[in-house]
Amino acid sequence: MNKLDYAIATQALKSADPKLGAIIDQVGVCTLDQAQHLGGLLDSLARSIIYQQLSTKSATAIYHRFLQLYPSGMNAEAILDTPDEILRQVGLSRQKIIYVKDLAQNVLTGLPTLEELQPLDDETIIQTLTKIKGIGRWTVQMLLIFRLHRWDVLPVDDLGVRSGIRRIYELDELPDRKTVMKIGQAWKPYSTIASWYLWRSLEIS
């Protein structure tokens, strides 16, 4: 998306959902493009696995230590050749070591590249990648948002999205998936931009 695209998206969201529109006005210009992830599919999914169920601060520290194991660049063979004990020392849990190595094995046996995934629709990409251990729907949705730049992704299980909805709509408790999907109908075809504003809304005092 360029600045014009973001302007069109935010204007459409404000018209469709005044409550979200108020948050858009508070947060200001969308800077989602500045948060895009780099690297190939292996790097993107390994990053997502490492970040699962951890605070951003802790996950970032572990991820950087993980990257330092591969000064010449991360690749599937290098990950598989890394002893589990070394991966434990940089902070990966035993479960995440299994996931990261399974991911590397899948890359070697023919996982599609980002370029090969690009022409596919969102749901096909989700079904393709969730066959890998430790890769759930949420993880692939983060790839769709931050790596494949898809505009209409609504991660209904994301805690930040649910917390943002609870706050904006003054709900008594976190909304369930059905409620998120119902409210999110108004945000199509810009659910990704809406999700970004929901995340940012949690930073407003």
Side-chain angles (χ1 to χ4, degrees):
M1 270 191 173
N2 57 39
K3 288 184 178 180
L4 178 60
D5 292 325
Y6 282 132
I8 292 169
T10 52
Q11 193 54 53
L13 289 169
K14 287 165 72 171
S15 298
D17 186 341
K19 286 185 181 291
L20 182 65
I23 295 298
I24 291 172
D25 286 338
Q26 281 184 273
V27 172
V29 176
C30 180
T31 57
L32 176 63
D33 57 327
Q34 297 175 20
Q36 303 295 347
H37 298 165
L38 303 175
L41 184 64
L42 173 62
D43 186 81
S44 295
L45 292 180
R47 184 184 191 280
S48 291
I49 287 171
I50 290 169
Y51 273 71
Q52 287 171 6
Q53 298 177 317
L54 290 175
S55 70
T56 300
K57 184 178 179 181
S58 297
T60 300
I62 293 170
Y63 179 63
H64 285 156
R65 290 198 297 269
F66 175 71
L67 289 181
Q68 286 167 7
L69 296 176
Y70 311 106
S72 301
M74 184 200 311
N75 60 67
E77 293 93 339
I79 290 174
L80 290 170
D81 288 342
T82 305
D84 289 5
E85 187 53 42
I86 298 296
L87 293 173
R88 286 282 294 155
Q89 287 174 11
V90 299
L92 270 69
S93 66
R94 296 190 190 284
Q95 195 70 54
K96 288 186 179 180
I97 291 170
I98 292 171
Y99 292 162
V100 167
K101 290 203 167 184
D102 185 67
L103 168 63
Q105 189 62 55
N106 272 276
V107 169
L108 287 182
T109 53
L111 206 60
T113 63
L114 285 172
E115 291 72 24
E116 290 167 339
L117 291 173
Q118 190 69 60
L120 304 178
D121 65 82
D122 293 357
E123 195 58 39
T124 300
I125 294 172
I126 289 171
Q127 294 305 319
T128 299
L129 297 182
T130 51
K131 295 173 184 175
I132 303 166
K133 287 179 185 174
I135 303 295
R137 192 175 188 87
W138 176 87
T139 301
V140 184
Q141 287 174 324
M142 294 304 105
L143 180 81
L144 291 170
I145 290 173
F146 293 107
R147 200 66 189 84
L148 295 176
H149 320 306
R150 298 298 171 92
W151 293 9
D152 197 25
V153 179
L154 179 59
V156 296
D157 297 313
D158 186 88
L159 181 59
V161 166
R162 295 169 68 209
S163 298
I165 290 174
R166 179 184 181 182
R167 184 175 181 179
I168 293 170
Y169 293 89
E170 300 176 336
L171 305 179
D172 292 332
E173 55 189 14
L174 286 173
D176 57 19
R177 300 175 88 243
K178 187 175 180 180
T179 302
V180 173
M181 291 175 72
K182 183 177 179 181
I183 292 173
Q185 282 297 315
W187 305 332
K188 289 183 170 295
Y190 302 115
S191 302
T192 296
I193 310 303
S195 299
W196 185 86
Y197 276 103
L198 290 170
W199 288 324
R200 298 287 77 75
S201 74
L202 301 176
E203 300 168 4
I204 300 171
S205 58

